[in-house]
Amino acid sequence: MVLLQTTSLLRARCPSALLSVRRLATEAAQLRRTGLYDFHVENGAKMVPFAGYSMPLSYADAGQIASHNHVRSKAGLFDVGHMVQSNFRGKTATEFLEWVTPSSLSSLTPYSSTLSVILNEKGGIIDDTVITKHAADAFYVVTNAGRREKDLAWFKEKLEEWNSGEKGKEGPVEMEVLENWGLLALQGTLMSVVIASAFVPIEGFNLHVARGGYTGEDGFEISIPPSQTVEVAKLLSKAPVQLTGLGARDSLRLEAGMCLYGNDLDEDTTPVEAGLSWVIGKDRKENGTFIGAEGVRKHLKEGPPRRRVGLTVEGAPARQHAKIFDPNTSDILGSVTSGIPSPTLGKNIAMGYVKNGWHKKGTQVEVEVRNKRQKAVLTPMPFVKTNYWRG
């Protein structure tokens, strides 16, 4: 009998790691593989280096745009098994995670989830994460593959500090990394039909199913024991579901206004600058009992020096690092962090940061593409209406 532990996301992930292949490329001999590597190859995947893993960019003859549109109209299945899945347990687990993140986890109901951020001492974002509460003393946490070493080292350091202090005496906290577990993201308009009709004829293992995702569509993220990952992937990849790679995942997340760590988030960016103030619990803003609180509360009180914005760009698409200008004075206002031609909208969209005060929707700016200034307008995100399940 398969147990489906269903959770609801307050908002879908901003999380995490997608398509910056050249920047994160690793020598093939050093690349890690998810439990679905052979499954991808058998299905004609074009494998590329990403975040230290060999991951599918696309499959067979299905191009990025066709795959993108299939998710928007039907359903797609993504391998996200490169991401880091962990369990935190202990009498003071809630307090520990409320120390390393600014979220109000004590108010979460069992088997509900929230997007959050792990902060450094300055209030900069070490990583974005989704935290699912199982019980008062047990949490399931997903972090980005590209931040694996940094995150695990940070957690190790902070756990040692916590457990050796007064709180640790009340009840130590332990962390278990779910090495080699599979993680599949089923996303799209028809995904609920697929899940409703799925039957897993295997006994003796549990699936952890969390409702949410990274595409703007309704979806589930399904955590699977290593021995069953391929079987579940085969079960869920039948029509109308189409296997989907990193290329479409990147365009889908940007249309949904979702951040990519390393492009749109980094350790020098606070959640206030990133437009993620909503992940900070109201009580946390007041008591400031989390790492990095001083920097975050300063930005909340005085306003951040810059803000994340969406842009619609004329002409050629604007890519990462493209400069954003004041069209009247030619002063540099900021830069683009992610940009694509939107398959759904048929126009160029981008995300970036501009000086505070220049972030109002409808503001006219210019973006430099190939040494040429192009007109752009600040546009509210998400660019495409989202279809998340609201629990």
Side-chain angles (χ1 to χ4, degrees), residues 79-133:
D79 178 12
V80 288
H82 59 309
M83 302 186 77
V84 183
Q85 305 175 66
S86 303
N87 286 322
F88 287 82
R89 302 185 186 92
K91 183 178 178 181
T92 60
T94 301
E95 293 170 274
F96 172 75
L97 289 173
E98 286 191 336
W99 179 48
V100 296
T101 77
S103 297
S104 296
L105 304 177
S106 55
S107 62
L108 283 181
T109 57
Y111 297 106
S112 63
S113 307
T114 184
L115 175 72
S116 191
V117 286
I118 304 163
L119 301 178
N120 60 29
E121 302 289 354
K122 299 182 298 182
I125 300 172
I126 293 174
D127 203 359
D128 58 289
T129 178
V130 171
I131 301 176
T132 300
K133 183 177 185 176

Side-chain angles (χ1 to χ4, degrees), residues 69-274:
N69 292 335
H70 192 89
V71 174
R72 289 275 183 251
S73 62
K74 295 180 181 178
L77 187 69
F78 303 83
D79 178 12
V80 288
H82 59 309
M83 302 186 77
V84 183
Q85 305 175 66
S86 303
N87 286 322
F88 287 82
R89 302 185 186 92
K91 183 178 178 181
T92 60
T94 301
E95 293 170 274
F96 172 75
L97 289 173
E98 286 191 336
W99 179 48
V100 296
T101 77
S103 297
S104 296
L105 304 177
S106 55
S107 62
L108 283 181
T109 57
Y111 297 106
S112 63
S113 307
T114 184
L115 175 72
S116 191
V117 286
I118 304 163
L119 301 178
N120 60 29
E121 302 289 354
K122 299 182 298 182
I125 300 172
I126 293 174
D127 203 359
D128 58 289
T129 178
V130 171
I131 301 176
T132 300
K133 183 177 185 176
H134 287 178
D137 59 355
F139 292 83
Y140 167 73
V141 177
V142 179
T143 51
N144 288 308
R147 300 294 287 170
R148 179 187 178 93
E149 301 307 321
K150 174 68 178 184
D151 290 346
L152 293 182
W154 183 260
F155 279 132
K156 182 176 183 292
E157 176 188 331
K158 296 307 171 186
L159 279 168
E160 289 176 353
E161 186 177 340
W162 183 268
N163 288 334
S164 63
E166 291 300 317
K167 289 297 182 180
K169 293 177 183 178
E170 294 178 23
V173 178
E174 64 176 15
M175 177 184 183
E176 174 194 17
V177 179
L178 300 176
E179 296 288 8
N180 301 317
W181 275 56
L183 189 62
L184 292 169
L186 179 63
Q187 301 282 300
T189 306
L190 299 181
M191 66 84 220
S192 59
V193 176
V194 176
I195 283 288
S197 62
F199 175 69
V200 186
I202 304 171
E203 295 189 5
F205 73 96
N206 294 340
L207 300 182
H208 181 283
V209 182
R211 200 160 194 171
Y214 196 51
T215 62
E217 300 298 331
D218 195 4
F220 292 105
E221 290 197 352
I222 306 161
S223 178
I224 313 161
S227 61
Q228 309 300 339
T229 301
V230 174
E231 189 158 1
V232 175
K234 288 179 178 179
L235 173 78
L236 295 177
S237 58
K238 298 174 183 178
V241 178
Q242 186 178 86
L243 293 173
T244 314
L246 293 173
R249 188 163 162 83
D250 193 52
S251 54
L252 288 160
R253 70 94 187 169
L254 187 48
E255 286 187 346
M258 296 291 172
C259 300
L260 167 61
Y261 195 93
N263 279 39
D264 315 302
L265 303 174
D266 58 35
E267 291 203 46
D268 294 319
T269 302
T270 71
V272 184
E273 292 175 304

Side-chain angles (χ1 to χ4, degrees), residues 304-324:
R306 59 189 184 130
R307 293 182 184 269
R308 181 169 64 95
V309 296
L311 303 100
T312 302
V313 183
E314 295 183 12
R319 304 294 187 179
Q320 186 183 23
H321 304 309
K323 296 176 182 177
I324 302 171

Side-chain angles (χ1 to χ4, degrees), residues 295-311:
V296 169
R297 295 174 79 190
K298 180 179 181 181
H299 280 185
L300 285 169
K301 182 179 179 180
E302 302 175 4
R306 59 189 184 130
R307 293 182 184 269
R308 181 169 64 95
V309 296
L311 303 100

